[in-house]
Amino acid sequence: GGIIFFFGALAYFLTNQFEYPWFMLALTLITFISFVDDIRSTSQGLRLVFHFTAMALMFYQWGLFSLPWWTIVVALIVCTGIINAYNFMDGINGITGGYSLVVLAALAFINGVYVPFVEPALIYTMLCAVLVFNFFNFRKQAKCFAGDVGSVSIAFVILFLIGMLIIRTENFSWIVLLAVYGVDSVLTIVHRLMLHENIGLPHRKHMYQLMANELKISHVVVSLLYMVVQAVIVAVYLAMPGMHYACLGGSVAVLGIGYVLFMRKYFKLHLAVK
């Protein structure tokens, strides 16, 4: 079902004078390899070739190649991490569609009220695609799932939009739009390293997974919780002009403390299941 995100972007591209061609080519490549991987497993090396090629095309659309080489390296590491985190967080009904809805809605608001950084129709088209997907996925018994093709493609689109915003404003703190996913993903990796686990192998140790699996909280409720927390963070961030980096740091700190306290209390339930 997640293929609808690519078709949403394609619909925008074909009806808006082929705007952002290098981004669209990049999205096509990364969607293609993710779709193939959903059907039959592909090698990690092949996926990396497609991902890095797509990243290079997106960087070209951003105009990054005029910057120092180390900027490209940092951007590659950060962007690869964001896409993989978004993919790993796609584990329960509604979370990918719901979280993406909040981020896209925030981007639409920022683009219309604060600073224009992208053609509005792109965000609106992607919002429509996400709403259609949520109609079938954001429910107790989902009718379709995002798959890698969905989680990776919507992550790539959101990454492109946030990158455009950061470049336009020269303000990296806009990464706060992904704070909830970021803290859950990074701290889960740190936790698994502390447990001496292979972080490349599948697992069920994310905070949202413990909520849904061990605590038996409804998938829809967990997804709504992630949506609400991210929406509150964005609202506070926008309400504090001139203190954006402080807000980013404070959000990460609060989310991090919450994650640690949650794991200290409930991770034993996961160990008991094992």
Side-chain angles (χ1 to χ4, degrees), residues 27 37 87 107 148 161 164 172 186 219 254:
L27 180 61
D37 194 46
N87 191 21
L107 286 166
D148 283 353
L161 294 171
M164 292 284 283
F172 186 75
V186 171
H219 287 201
V254 171

Side-chain angles (χ1 to χ4, degrees), residues 6-151:
F6 170 76
F7 285 121
L10 181 62
Y12 165 81
F13 180 70
L14 295 177
T15 57
N16 286 269
Q17 301 179 332
F18 307 109
E19 189 77 30
Y20 311 121
W22 299 110
F23 158 69
M24 194 62 217
L25 178 57
L27 180 61
T28 301
L29 288 177
I30 207 167
T31 299
F32 171 76
I33 194 61
S34 300
F35 185 74
V36 172
D37 194 46
D38 276 331
I39 297 173
R40 62 176 185 177
S41 182
T42 58
S43 68
Q44 184 176 7
L46 181 61
R47 291 197 303 273
L48 283 176
V49 169
F50 273 81
H51 280 228
F52 286 166
T53 302
M55 293 287 188
L57 290 168
M58 183 167 65
F59 291 173
Y60 185 74
Q61 185 73 73
W62 281 344
L64 290 192
F65 288 111
S66 61
L67 300 177
W69 66 268
W70 60 267
T71 307
I72 310 300
V73 175
V74 172
L76 182 62
I77 294 172
V78 172
C79 292
T80 301
I82 289 173
I83 288 178
N84 279 283
Y86 226 92
N87 191 21
F88 294 153
M89 292 295 290
D90 179 40
I92 60 174
N93 298 345
I95 194 165
T96 293
Y99 193 82
S100 299
L101 186 65
V102 170
V103 176
L104 287 169
L107 286 166
F109 180 78
I110 293 164
N111 192 51
V113 176
Y114 281 80
V115 54
F117 61 91
V118 75
E119 287 297 323
L122 175 57
I123 305 179
Y124 297 149
T125 306
M126 295 311 303
L127 275 169
C128 290
V130 170
L131 285 170
V132 171
F133 175 77
N134 281 342
F135 178 79
F136 296 100
N137 179 259
F138 202 100
R139 55 176 72 194
K140 184 176 180 180
Q141 298 294 331
K143 302 296 183 181
C144 73
F145 302 96
D148 283 353
V149 67
S151 58

Side-chain angles (χ1 to χ4, degrees), residues 195-225:
L195 295 172
H196 305 291
E197 293 185 359
N198 183 346
I199 60 174
L201 297 177
H203 66 95
R204 299 175 72 180
K205 293 182 174 66
H206 280 290
M207 186 173 174
Y208 78 88
Q209 290 173 319
L210 266 68
M211 290 180 179
N213 298 324
E214 275 69 39
L215 296 180
K216 307 300 180 184
I217 302 174
S218 166
H219 287 201
V220 172
V221 173
V222 175
S223 297
L224 280 171
L225 176 62

